[in-house]
Amino acid sequence: MNTIKWPGQQTLQAWRHDFHRHPETAYQEHRTSQRVTELLQSFGLEVHTGLAGTGVVAVLRGKRGDGPSIGLRADMDALHVQELNNCEHKSVNEGRMHACGHDGHTTMLLGAAQALASNPDFAGTVHFIFQPAEENEGGARTMIEQGLFERFPMDAVYSMHNWPGLPVGTAAVHSTAVMAAFDIFDLTLTGKGCHAAMPHLGKDALLAACQLVTQLPALIAREQEVHKPAVLSVTSFNAGDTYNVMPEVIKLRGTVRCFDMEQRARIEQRFRDAIAATCTLHGLEAQLDYRVSYPATINHPEHADICAEVLTQVLGEGNVRRDLKPSMASEDFSFMSQTRPGVYIWMGNGEDSASLHNPKYDFNDNVLPKGVQYFVELVYALLRDGKLPKAG
């Protein structure tokens, strides 16, 4: 009987540090994709490239013959952040860093691919999905649009994200909602500019924009059901460039986040109503570009129970949280999990970890072996032990 050849800590750490040192942002992950491809091929896997440009999918068929097909997904892209760490594996790419831990996610899935390739003791097929452009650009959606699930049929798909604040050696599994839907907007208000000493000669877009920004939170606080969380945030306000001129054009941008899709539509409509009312009151014109971006990431309960069971075996009794509230952050794995059943879990990155997207963040290398083991044991549970829930 074959035994599993687990990648050692030093090997995993070397891979992760290499990815961290050479971060690449959305759809530019050329070096990362090439390195991932080389490693997967060295494990003896069937490797496909080109989906979403830099995406990679590797296929491993079990030695027990035909059976279900599942996907395991990791994101590869970095962020436009200037790293402030001084570690040896600090980013060498100016203005770019792995500030969200995708270097760790990619490493853990590579480790699982190597381990499973050494002993594919299951019936069915595993697809290892290395996805570009998770950060804001919807790489998962692009892979799906370009035929991910047609070329690589899957009965279910699974992913994970490291989670600062959770101790290393713990994880969280949600039964349903995990991450919020994410929309973005750009709003331009146009009035009539004038001398600051003679505001009666203009149409004050600046005053109207300020009123709108302070009024918008009421769309959440006073119009949405309290048990359905939502957030509307104006994150950029651009107006004027001198002391004695009332600006003619004001530009705002921001985000809307929630979990309920009907609620999402109501918020957008009331947002548009508020803009129209403000413009009517102040005699302004408005141009709104409202873009529906990521849907909410919703786990499938039966699959979540299996993932929690596997994690308990890997991490130990009492180290798997089922009670954490979902996050208002967003994740484009949602495109996959709304197309196929699946689960997105959080793996603890340490209570003292810098937050995600922080310039001093770094993935905790101690998490790497546990992430590899989780993916491997999940595959065995689903495809060897027959725990994959039946469709429908």
Side-chain angles (χ1 to χ4, degrees), residues 139-159:
R141 174 174 50 198
T142 304
M143 291 189 82
I144 293 169
E145 290 172 348
Q146 294 184 7
L148 174 66
F149 292 127
E150 288 74 29
R151 291 180 58 185
F152 309 99
M154 301 175 209
D155 298 299
V157 62
Y158 305 88
S159 188

Side-chain angles (χ1 to χ4, degrees), residues 158 175 299-307 343 387-392:
Y158 305 88
S175 295
N299 285 342
H300 292 72
E302 292 180 334
H303 293 257
D305 289 343
I306 295 168
C307 291
V343 176
K387 292 186 178 182
L388 182 67
K390 302 297 183 183

Side-chain angles (χ1 to χ4, degrees), residues 204-245:
D204 195 345
L206 179 58
L207 175 62
C210 291
Q211 292 175 347
L212 187 61
V213 169
T214 59
Q215 291 168 358
L216 287 175
L219 299 181
I220 306 299
R222 288 295 178 264
E223 295 190 12
Q224 306 304 314
E225 299 171 71
V226 294
H227 65 282
K228 294 182 178 180
V231 175
L232 192 162
S233 298
V234 176
T235 57
S236 175
F237 191 120
N238 187 282
D241 52 15
T242 190
Y243 296 101
N244 60 347
V245 176

